[in-house]
Amino acid sequence: MKILIVEDEAALQNLMTRALRKEGFVVENAVDFSSAVDKLDVYVYDCVLLDIMLPGGSGLDILSHIKGMNRKVNVIIISAKDSIDDKVRGLELGADDYLAKPFHIAELVARIRSVARRSQADGDFAFRLGNVVLEPESRRLMVAGREVPLLKKEFDILKYFMQRPEHLVDKAVLAEAVWGDHIDQADNFQFVYAQMKNLRRKLSDAGADIEIKAVYGFGYKLTGR
Amino acid sequence: MKFIYRIILWLSALMLVFMTVWGIFFYRALAEEIVDETDDMLESYSADIIVKWLSGVEIPAIDNGSNNTYYIRKVSPDYAASVPRISYEDAMIFIAGKGEDEAARIRHHIFMDKDNSYYELTVAVPSFERQDLINAILQWMVFLYFILLVACIGITVAVVEYNFRPLKALVEWVKSYVPGKKNAPVPCNTKISEFRTIAVATQEAADRFERQYELQNQFIGNASHELQTPLAVCTGRIEMLLDSDTLTRQQAEELTGINRTLQRLVRLNRTLLLMTKIDNGQFMETSDTDIVSLVKDSAEMLDEIYGYKGMRSEISGDPSLTVRMNEQLSSILVSNLLKNAFVHGPSDSVVGISVRGRTLTVTNDGGAPLDKDRIFKRFYQGPDKKEGSSGLGLALVRSICDRYSFSLEYFYDGRHNFRVVF
């Protein structure tokens, strides 16, 4: 999969490039408006990561340019602005997703995969790992073809891990992702352990060939059994 | 005290002093003039009597109907030498014509006849009673004082009110001034140079203040904004390191520690950015939001998170409270109020949440009342500072309440009470 990163901040661009290459993507870079347009005109990309504020123009104009080319390119807007207006405008112009800085690299990778999956398997948004299938739309979990009932939080946790297989996830980051802003001062993650215990038991009882392992006592990792 | 009252007070006081001094002088001048006239009359009267006496002509009868009295007595040469030849005095004398004592002016005149014997002529004429004159003058002065005072105050008030209209307009403007909001220009509809100067200076100060306010807002916004990218880079690098296979347990723990601190920074920055946006009047779109259902969602989540402390919430009151506001802001408002109560409440305590009418009250246990002037300020931490607390939660609540003109108050009645009236 070929990705173009349009980002003028050298440090962030460098980091994203390294991280995405490590995930097995082919990555190219553009640092300003004109070079981005040049590259888009000449080469074909599966996915474009687009910063909105660029030297020489707005990322939103690049987005219009891409959509004008009538090519099937997924666009994820990456912006420091984190404003609803930008998000709405971007999505109206045809962007596939919107990610506000600062973001987790794992989140970025998950979004790229999710966007790609959506455009390839028309309408099938399910996450698949081994014999486990997670359907975010209907909020159903299927293990080896049988449905396993999950509580709301259990489902959210599993979804978060299914988007980041083989990545170490800090339980504080997990807690914030699932419980939202409510946890930002919590000094105890008892509530994570309780949900995690039930989720792991449900997965192993259903005979799933993935498991969520505790790592060093401060984090978890989703791995194949 | 209003300016006009102060003027009235000063006018009354100064006029009282002025009128008193004037009254004393007026009395003195009047009395002197009367005495002078009386003395002149006495002098010519006594001269007439002496001339008649010396020339042997018949002198007028004592009781001649004029109320004037006189008598002549022979005195020794020693007495004549010991008193002044002519002297005046005021005294009460019996006026035969009236049959009563009257205040009178008396003139004594020593003279000598052709036999070299001394006589003293005493002439008296009824005069004014000084106390009566003082009373009369005092009475009229008091009357004049009030007449003058009323006139003076009336004129002054009219003149001041009329001429100070520009100042009044300026004061009204200052009262209505709200920093950071759209304010009308300073009223400057006057030809009086002093008022023009004040108006121009006020306008300049307001403009300068507006610019600074704007700059400060922009600065916080820009600074937070510019921090986003470096924060993203740091977060990303740490996460990449965490994924590396050669990591030891200790290194992984250190990195996670750094990452958690970094995430605190990210949240802090995000909250500052959010506050700037609220203060700048973004979040325009509004919808009908049910506060009670937001409260229930938040409380359920927080019960779960703070269950390890033995804390729980109790919701009481009305089954719904619909408020028209931005959806995102309403959930931030509710979750921050509730979270604050959970974070600062002691273990095994109950967070009370009640919704009655348009009022949401959140209570939690706590030892001592907090500083109600500072509790909603940015970065204020109470006496029991919590590790990891940003000090922005309640400031955010304040910003949102200000944005919608909701009233927000804190009071202590053995428990901490936070109350929002929508």
Side-chain angles (χ1 to χ4, degrees), chain B residues 42 87-91 93 104-108 122-125:
Chain B
L42 282 173
S87 65
Y88 293 93
E89 66 170 322
D90 293 309
I93 60 159
R105 186 75 178 164
I106 299 167
R107 185 177 197 265
H108 303 282
T122 301
V123 193
V125 62

Side-chain angles (χ1 to χ4, degrees), chain B residues 296-349:
Chain B
K296 282 183 179 150
D297 289 349
S298 268
E300 190 191 332
M301 200 93 98
L302 288 162
D303 279 345
E304 185 184 344
I305 294 170
Y306 289 93
Y308 77 96
K309 273 169 83 180
M311 291 186 75
R312 63 193 172 81
S313 59
E314 271 176 12
I315 305 176
S316 62
D318 302 345
S320 82
L321 163 56
T322 308
V323 176
R324 188 154 189 88
M325 66 186 289
N326 182 279
E327 206 179 333
Q328 199 186 348
L329 294 187
S330 61
S331 95
I332 293 172
L333 173 77
V334 169
S335 70
N336 274 288
L337 263 184
L338 263 59
K339 190 165 69 184
N340 181 69
F342 273 94
V343 168
H344 296 286
S347 295
D348 302 316
S349 66

Side-chain angles (χ1 to χ4, degrees), chain A residues 4-8 30-37 40 48-69 73-81 86-87 89-98 101:
Chain A
L4 176 67
I5 302 175
V6 185
E7 165 68 63
D8 59 318
V31 294
D32 56 25
F33 185 86
S34 56
S35 66
V37 171
L40 282 163
V48 179
L49 307 180
L50 195 58
D51 188 8
I52 288 195
M53 295 213 281
L54 288 170
S58 164
L60 292 174
D61 293 336
I62 296 182
L63 181 57
S64 313
H65 182 80
I66 295 170
K67 292 299 153 185
M69 293 192 304
V73 185
N74 295 310
V75 179
I76 299 176
I77 292 176
I78 292 164
S79 169
K81 278 177 113 174
D86 272 7
K87 188 169 177 173
R89 271 187 66 204
L91 296 180
E92 269 174 0
L93 281 172
D96 298 271
D97 208 343
Y98 182 98
K101 288 179 193 172

Side-chain angles (χ1 to χ4, degrees), chain B residues 68-341:
Chain B
N68 297 345
T69 54
Y70 74 91
Y71 54 89
I72 297 170
R73 65 180 178 125
K74 195 170 182 182
V75 295
S76 66
D78 291 345
Y79 173 80
S82 68
V83 295
R85 204 173 65 83
I86 294 165
S87 65
Y88 293 93
E89 66 170 322
D90 293 309
M92 300 295 286
I93 60 159
F94 182 78
I95 305 284
K98 284 193 167 182
E100 59 181 22
D101 283 337
E102 280 266 329
R105 186 75 178 164
I106 299 167
R107 185 177 197 265
H108 303 282
H109 193 155
I110 308 286
F111 65 95
M112 190 178 68
D113 68 359
K114 58 182 187 288
D115 306 323
N116 286 338
S117 39
Y118 289 94
Y119 297 87
E120 183 190 49
L121 169 68
T122 301
V123 193
V125 62
S127 176
F128 63 96
E129 224 167 307
R130 279 172 189 265
Q131 197 53 50
D132 287 351
L133 185 67
I134 288 174
N135 287 347
I137 288 178
L138 191 67
Q139 193 184 329
W140 282 100
M141 288 306 273
V142 169
F143 184 61
L144 183 66
Y145 172 72
F146 281 109
I147 294 282
L148 271 181
L149 193 66
V150 168
C152 248
I153 287 173
I155 293 168
T156 311
V157 168
V159 168
V160 167
E161 287 289 317
Y162 184 78
N163 286 293
F164 275 38
R165 281 172 310 162
L167 186 69
K168 214 169 182 177
L170 189 66
V171 170
E172 288 305 315
W173 182 88
V174 169
K175 273 191 198 159
S176 70
Y177 181 79
V178 185
K181 294 272 150 59
K182 264 210 161 325
N183 289 295
V186 177
C188 189
N189 187 19
T190 172
K191 291 195 178 87
I192 300 166
S193 64
E194 285 90 339
F195 289 147
R196 289 195 78 88
T197 311
I198 295 178
V200 168
T202 310
Q203 182 71 64
E204 278 171 3
D207 289 348
R208 204 162 42 237
F209 183 71
E210 285 301 311
R211 267 199 305 281
Q212 302 238 311
Y213 190 85
E214 178 75 4
L215 279 179
Q216 185 203 326
N217 253 351
Q218 263 179 20
F219 174 77
I220 297 174
N222 288 348
S224 314
H225 194 195
E226 289 303 320
L227 279 170
Q228 306 275 56
T229 303
L231 285 172
V233 173
C234 287
T235 307
R237 283 182 189 276
I238 290 171
E239 281 174 6
M240 279 183 69
L241 269 179
L242 273 174
D243 278 338
S244 103
D245 302 328
T246 55
L247 213 59
T248 67
R249 181 190 174 132
Q250 197 206 348
Q251 285 167 334
E253 267 173 8
E254 286 299 325
L255 279 174
T256 308
I258 297 173
N259 200 21
R260 285 184 188 177
T261 312
L262 194 64
Q263 293 316 307
R264 251 183 73 194
L265 199 59
V266 168
R267 274 193 296 272
L268 194 67
N269 196 47
R270 206 161 49 207
T271 311
L272 278 177
L273 204 56
L274 184 65
M275 286 174 84
T276 314
K277 281 185 189 167
I278 294 169
D279 292 346
N280 284 349
Q282 287 166 352
F283 299 103
M284 300 299 286
E285 57 289 322
T286 56
S287 56
D288 285 329
T289 319
D290 183 20
I291 296 295
V292 176
S293 73
L294 285 176
V295 164
K296 282 183 179 150
D297 289 349
S298 268
E300 190 191 332
M301 200 93 98
L302 288 162
D303 279 345
E304 185 184 344
I305 294 170
Y306 289 93
Y308 77 96
K309 273 169 83 180
M311 291 186 75
R312 63 193 172 81
S313 59
E314 271 176 12
I315 305 176
S316 62
D318 302 345
S320 82
L321 163 56
T322 308
V323 176
R324 188 154 189 88
M325 66 186 289
N326 182 279
E327 206 179 333
Q328 199 186 348
L329 294 187
S330 61
S331 95
I332 293 172
L333 173 77
V334 169
S335 70
N336 274 288
L337 263 184
L338 263 59
K339 190 165 69 184
N340 181 69

Side-chain angles (χ1 to χ4, degrees), chain A residues 21-53:
Chain A
R21 284 198 178 132
K22 215 174 126 201
E23 294 292 328
F25 299 118
V26 177
V27 182
E28 279 189 33
N29 283 297
V31 294
D32 56 25
F33 185 86
S34 56
S35 66
V37 171
D38 288 350
K39 285 205 163 153
L40 282 163
D41 285 345
V42 178
Y43 305 105
V44 178
Y45 299 96
D46 300 298
C47 186
V48 179
L49 307 180
L50 195 58
D51 188 8
I52 288 195
M53 295 213 281

Side-chain angles (χ1 to χ4, degrees), chain A residues 133-167:
Chain A
V133 179
L134 189 85
E135 297 171 0
E137 298 287 301
S138 57
R139 297 189 72 83
R140 285 199 308 172
L141 169 69
M142 312 289 287
V143 177
R146 274 197 311 278
E147 183 171 350
V148 179
L150 287 185
L151 295 176
K152 184 178 178 301
K153 294 281 161 39
E154 293 165 356
F155 185 89
D156 291 341
I157 293 171
L158 184 59
K159 185 179 153 203
Y160 191 81
F161 279 100
M162 293 281 279
Q163 291 175 311
R164 297 160 180 78
E166 302 295 334
H167 281 288

